[in-house]
Amino acid sequence: MSGGALVLAAGLLAFSAQAEDKPAITPANHNPTLNAGGAATDGPGQASPWSYSGKQGIGTAYEAYVNYQYSDKAVTGPVSKVWFSLADGIVTETMYGRIHEAQIRELKLAIAGDGWTAFEGTDTTSTVAYIDTDTAGRPLSPAYRLTTTDKKGRFVIVKDVFTDPDRQSLMVRFTVKSMAGKITPYLILDPSMANTSGDDEGRVGGGALQAWEGKVALSARASVPFVKANVGYTGVSDGIADITARQALGTVHAGLDKGRGNIVLVGQLPVVSDSTNFDLAVGFGATTAAADLSAQGTLKTGYTEVLARFNGTGKRVGWEDYLASLTELKSLVPVSEDNGRLLYASAIALKVQEDHTAAGALIASLSNPWGDELKTDKSSTGYKAVWPRDFYQVAMALAALGDKETPVAAFRYLPTVQVTAKTKGNTGATGWFQQKSHVDGTPEWVGVQLDQTAMPILLGERLNQLGLISNAQLSASYKTMLKPAADFLAKGGTVGLDWNHATITPPYSQQERWEEQEGHSPSTTAAIIAGLTTAADIATRAGDTADATLYRQKADEYSQKLEQRLFTTSGKVMGEDKPASYYLRISRSDDANNPGTQDERNGHAGLRSDLMVDAGFLELVRYGVRRADDSHITDSLKVVDDQDLPDNLRVRYDFRFPGSNVVVPGFRRYGNDGYGDKTSGGDYAVNGTMSPDQRGRVWPIFTGERGHYELALDALKPGGATPSDIDAIRAVYVKGMELFANDGLMIPEQVFDGVGSPDPHGYTIGEGTDSATPLAWSHAEYVKLLRSLRDRTVWDRSAVTAAHFAQVKD
């Protein structure tokens, strides 16, 4: 990825011999885990996967800053460090501590009746709604109401889910309604302490269900006493078999008799004859005592007050206050096609996905892609980590919303993930930004992606233009962070971190923006050119005229050789007998007509580079490196838009949604993409095994990218884009992104394109897959498109780059 492409495939990367004299690279351990001691022990219990990644909602408390840092002294009080996600109508991964540290895998109810037992998720359908909305139905906080309905009509469960903003607690109000006489609810809490489901310990008693591992613990308490409770090993003694077969807990265990393992906690609740509700608080802490104190405090404060604090009702400070602080939010509503519902949800979702210890640490997604096929015996961040690429998109979107603080905190955070002489284990070049990092800066993947080194420069310049950081602050950052980054973009160097000892010679990148191939790529080169041109402007203002000249010269050199390296005039993607001219996705030489062959990735054999096309060249227009009407751009669009290409090579798919007459253009990352679920039915890389029938699906972000391009094209008209031009873009591209969002207003990473089987989840065309939902980048692209349309200019456009390169049509 950055938006995710190698979360599962990372360990399989083996770079082949590079172009010219670049040495081959064989990464040793490309995907280290947090659990340095190896796999956690399931014990007598059976192994578990993570949960379905198609999230219906995500949430955490809003926490205010003190001087761009989180503090218990802020107006929001003690900092809550609890996040949750929702899928299939149940509570799924719930994090405490750092944003990637899951402590709960699943939390749901089983309902037992006369001779039958049904489980939420498996035996129910579900809907999701926001609890706190304005009069237009726009969400005002990430507090959710899930309604699960038994497929046989015997019961309905309504769950209100949010966190206690003043404690380390998750709160859930359950309302259970019976349509089949007396029924018995059973709470099923599947812990994953310390981000693994193995090695957990647990006990029940005294009204609490508790689990712990090392220095982290949870304690669950209900507002009504549990009738019975059990702790057992998953699939062995967890009591679920008894509930299923006999509608009752048999022998109960207050503790574990065989030590640590993969465990499940079950609590029997009082019989329901008609309708009843009860509250559940799950507290977290360093010990079970601390966790229990938090849970008890949440229950004592009570549902009404905790929710009011979470929302920020009245004089309380919460999510409503954050949204009110976004100075541009309301002005973007008229540009939307749904009266701002997805806009408000996007603003919330982007802010939710920030760590509450490392202020400004913006992650890619609060999910594990294809999580229901990933074992939990090893700690995994999934997408709950920092990629500077996704990070940049989110920070720019928050700035577009008028957030005056989070983008600054993000910019101040960036040195945490920059490679310096002080980076642990580094023996090589400095200045570049890590491929993927834990939110505390610990390196996870260490490939070099040059666009990720350029984007912090672009972010700094934009924040300065917006007045969010001063000239003095930008100059100081130039000396400590941006100049080393620009130096690496201009000169490259030999890397020396973990497995990576490659010599990088820009603009040839060790990995492009999808983290899968080395070479020259239009999207990466666009970011490099814009980054260097921007760095030259910052250097000039900082009095560093010598380096300003170097950066400008390098940007000019990369621009001058761009088409030679990347625009083929003999491409064969449309057929061996139909040579065409277009930008390549990537090339391994300086001759676009002899670009080499790509490596095998994601179960797909490498193809000749001229057979793999994408729309990455649109980044040249976005940043101002090329005009929207440049013939190289328009010729390339004809190829990308060709829907007669074979499905394997085809990029564009048009979508139609029930109830809408809009034809929505959707795009895959590139032809021959294998980062997706199987056309034969099944998830990506099941059990870590790649398959040639894996297929990368359509990504909603590209609908937004195309909308940005159409705006850039319209802006070239005398007088700029007209109101009718703006309305036309809104009607297709804004509406399209809104249609791709699910019922919880979460925009996926990928949506089903109709090619092959919709199994195992029964996808409908245009629906999000099990890849990652929500993807922060998807929401960021949507927000930025609205801001661009309002302003009638592309939000990411680098003014100094456009002025330098894009004034004259080719």
Side-chain angles (χ1 to χ4, degrees):
M1 174 179 164
S2 122
L6 289 183
V7 167
L8 300 178
L12 304 177
L13 273 180
F15 294 93
S16 63
Q18 298 182 5
E20 301 162 3
D21 58 350
K22 297 178 178 67
I25 307 167
T26 303
N29 180 19
H30 197 72
N31 190 11
T33 69
L34 299 180
N35 188 354
T41 302
D42 290 323
Q46 298 173 0
S48 298
W50 290 109
S51 300
Y52 182 55
S53 188
K55 306 302 182 185
Q56 296 171 291
I58 57 172
T60 191
Y62 166 66
E63 299 293 346
Y65 295 133
V66 174
N67 191 28
Y68 304 103
Q69 297 294 321
Y70 285 116
S71 170
D72 291 343
K73 297 180 180 179
V75 293
T76 44
V79 178
S80 173
K81 299 181 180 181
V82 179
W83 295 259
F84 64 86
S85 65
L86 311 170
D88 287 333
I90 65 174
V91 177
T92 53
E93 288 98 352
T94 300
M95 281 59 65
Y96 160 70
R98 295 286 192 172
I99 196 169
H100 62 266
E101 294 173 337
Q103 314 298 344
I104 294 175
R105 192 185 76 85
E106 277 188 357
L107 189 157
K108 61 186 179 183
L109 291 184
I111 303 294
D114 184 8
W116 57 269
T117 305
F119 293 82
E120 281 195 290
T122 305
D123 301 309
T124 58
T125 59
S126 67
T127 60
V128 60
Y130 289 85
I131 296 173
D132 188 22
T133 63
D134 65 11
T135 56
R138 294 181 286 253
L140 297 178
S141 86
Y144 298 90
R145 178 161 292 160
L146 291 167
T147 301
T148 54
T149 302
D150 177 43
K151 292 176 182 178
K152 296 184 178 181
R154 296 165 297 192
F155 62 87
V156 174
I157 301 169
V158 179
K159 295 187 295 295
D160 291 355
V161 187
F162 47 93
T163 64
D164 186 336
D166 297 321
R167 297 181 182 87
Q168 310 307 325
S169 299
L170 172 74
M171 188 166 202
V172 185
R173 166 161 285 187
F174 294 88
T175 301
V176 181
K177 302 176 183 180
S178 173
M179 279 77 81
K182 293 182 179 181
I183 59 174
T184 304
Y186 291 86
L187 178 74
I188 300 174
L189 196 165
D190 187 346
S192 59
M193 307 308 301
N195 208 39
T196 65
S197 278
D199 285 344
D200 289 348
E201 298 181 76
R203 64 175 168 239
V204 298
L209 314 179
Q210 298 182 332
W212 65 93
E213 179 182 337
K215 296 181 179 180
V216 64
L218 68 76
S219 183
R221 283 187 174 271
S223 56
V224 296
F226 293 113
V227 178
K228 288 184 179 180
N230 182 70
V231 57
Y233 297 101
T234 304
V236 176
S237 56
D238 55 21
I240 293 176
D242 284 345
I243 297 171
T244 304
R246 302 200 302 271
Q247 293 76 54
L249 279 174
T251 303
V252 294
H253 307 90
L256 300 172
D257 58 354
K258 296 183 179 179
R260 299 177 298 175
N262 187 13
I263 68 173
V264 173
L265 301 161
V266 177
Q268 180 180 335
L269 293 154
V271 170
V272 176
S273 298
D274 181 14
S275 177
T276 191
N277 64 57
F278 60 90
D279 296 333
L280 178 78
V282 184
F284 302 93
T287 64
T288 53
D292 198 54
L293 194 62
S294 186
Q296 291 188 58
T298 296
L299 289 175
K300 183 177 180 180
T301 301
Y303 169 92
T304 302
E305 179 61 23
V306 172
L307 180 59
R309 293 177 185 178
F310 184 84
N311 292 339
T313 304
K315 295 182 179 180
R316 305 169 188 85
V317 180
W319 275 103
E320 292 180 13
D321 299 276
Y322 173 70
L323 292 176
S325 76
L326 302 179
T327 59
E328 310 303 311
L329 181 64
K330 290 184 179 179
S331 70
L332 299 180
V333 171
V335 194
S336 73
E337 287 286 300
D338 68 349
N339 200 24
R341 291 179 68 246
L342 182 59
L343 169 65
Y344 275 60
S346 295
I348 292 168
L350 293 172
K351 183 64 174 174
V352 164
Q353 296 175 103
E354 177 192 15
D355 188 50
H356 286 175
T357 300
L362 304 168
I363 64 166
S365 177
L366 205 67
S367 67
N368 269 331
W370 292 282
D372 48 8
E373 292 287 356
L374 282 177
K375 292 182 179 179
T376 57
D377 61 342
K378 286 189 177 181
S379 179
S380 171
T381 57
Y383 280 13
K384 299 186 284 287
V386 173
W387 278 266
R389 181 183 305 103
D390 300 61
F391 179 100
Y392 163 83
Q393 313 294 341
V394 175
M396 286 288 283
L398 290 169
L401 288 165
D403 186 327
K404 308 296 185 186
E405 293 188 304
T406 313
V408 177
F411 188 67
R412 292 184 175 196
Y413 167 85
L414 278 168
T416 306
V417 294
Q418 186 174 34
V419 177
T420 70
K422 295 181 180 179
T423 300
K424 185 177 180 180
N426 182 46
T427 59
T430 59
W432 57 285
F433 286 81
Q434 296 170 26
Q435 177 187 358
K436 177 191 178 187
S437 309
H438 303 156
V439 291
D440 66 359
T442 301
E444 187 165 350
W445 298 348
V446 296
V448 176
Q449 299 168 11
L450 294 176
D451 60 335
Q452 296 206 131
T453 295
M455 287 172 173
I457 302 172
L458 298 171
L459 179 61
E461 175 92 334
R462 175 48 66 93
L463 297 183
N464 177 247
Q465 292 169 349
L466 293 171
L468 298 183
I469 61 175
S470 67
N471 290 335
Q473 290 170 325
L474 183 63
S475 180
S477 293
Y478 169 73
K479 294 174 184 176
T480 60
M481 177 173 70
L482 304 184
K483 174 176 163 40
D487 284 344
F488 192 81
L489 294 175
K491 305 171 187 177
T494 300
V495 179
L497 188 60
D498 196 23
W499 57 263
N500 198 346
H501 299 277
T503 298
I504 309 299
T505 307
Y508 192 105
S509 188
Q510 190 178 43
Q511 296 175 2
E512 31 63 79
R513 71 169 172 168
W514 305 124
E515 310 187 291
E516 294 178 351
Q517 302 285 352
E518 59 173 294
H520 298 289
S521 88
S523 58
T524 296
T525 305
I528 294 171
I529 292 171
L532 282 171
T533 307
T534 301
D537 181 65
I538 299 171
T540 299
R541 288 191 278 155
D544 185 3
T545 56
D547 280 326
T549 300
L550 170 66
Y551 303 152
R552 210 168 276 115
Q553 288 174 342
K554 283 295 185 180
D556 287 341
E557 175 190 329
Y558 300 161
S559 176
Q560 290 161 7
K561 294 181 179 179
L562 178 65
E563 280 70 34
Q564 169 193 319
R565 288 168 167 161
L566 283 164
F567 190 81
T568 181
T569 57
S570 60
K572 302 297 193 301
V573 71
M574 303 178 81
E576 292 293 328
D577 59 341
K578 297 179 181 179
S581 299
Y582 49 87
Y583 279 112
L584 303 167
R585 155 170 146 70
I586 199 162
S587 172
R588 292 192 170 177
S589 81
D590 285 339
D591 179 3
N593 289 325
N594 185 25
T597 299
Q598 298 305 301
D599 292 332
E600 177 180 338
R601 290 290 181 263
N602 298 314
H604 284 221
L607 299 179
R608 257 187 7 240
S609 292
D610 69 327
L611 296 179
M612 297 165 64
V613 295
D614 72 353
F617 57 84
L618 293 182
E619 296 294 270
L620 295 164
V621 178
R622 178 190 290 261
Y623 293 123
V625 178
R626 293 290 185 270
R627 286 171 57 109
D629 60 355
D630 185 302
S631 63
H632 301 96
I633 300 291
T634 56
D635 286 349
S636 300
L637 279 174
K638 295 173 185 175
V639 178
V640 166
D641 284 346
D642 186 352
Q643 297 190 61
D644 291 326
L645 295 176
D647 275 325
N648 181 46
L649 302 180
R650 181 176 165 188
V651 173
R652 177 169 174 164
Y653 289 79
D654 287 347
F655 293 79
R656 292 170 175 82
F657 292 84
S660 173
N661 59 4
V662 177
V663 177
V664 180
F667 305 87
R668 301 170 68 206
R669 295 188 308 170
Y670 57 85
N672 200 45
D673 184 7
Y675 182 64
D677 40 37
K678 297 178 182 179
T679 56
S680 61
D683 286 345
Y684 170 81
V686 176
N687 297 321
T689 302
M690 293 295 168
S691 170
D693 70 333
Q694 292 168 181
R695 175 179 172 81
R697 305 291 182 171
V698 164
W699 291 48
I701 58 170
F702 300 130
T703 298
E705 287 189 359
R706 186 60 173 267
H708 273 107
Y709 168 75
E710 297 296 340
L711 174 62
L713 186 64
D714 289 335
L716 295 177
K717 296 177 179 179
T722 66
S724 61
D725 292 331
I726 300 299
D727 287 344
I729 295 170
R730 289 176 53 216
V732 174
Y733 300 99
V734 171
K735 182 64 174 179
M737 293 197 78
E738 291 169 358
L739 288 169
F740 282 135
N742 65 23
D743 289 347
L745 300 177
M746 303 283 100
I747 312 179
E749 175 189 78
Q750 300 184 41
V751 298
F752 184 59
D753 54 18
V755 177
S757 171
D759 294 334
H761 299 288
Y763 301 126
T764 58
I765 293 176
E767 178 186 9
T769 69
D770 192 10
S771 51
T773 303
L775 185 68
W777 186 350
S778 297
H779 286 275
E781 185 67 15
Y782 174 75
V783 168
K784 290 191 294 177
L785 180 58
L786 295 186
R787 179 64 188 263
S788 296
L789 291 172
R790 193 205 73 178
D791 295 351
R792 301 193 183 186
T793 186
V794 175
W795 178 248
D796 289 291
R797 184 178 175 88
S798 166
V800 294
T801 302
H804 190 66
F805 289 105
Q807 320 95 313
V808 181
K809 184 179 179 181
D810 68 312

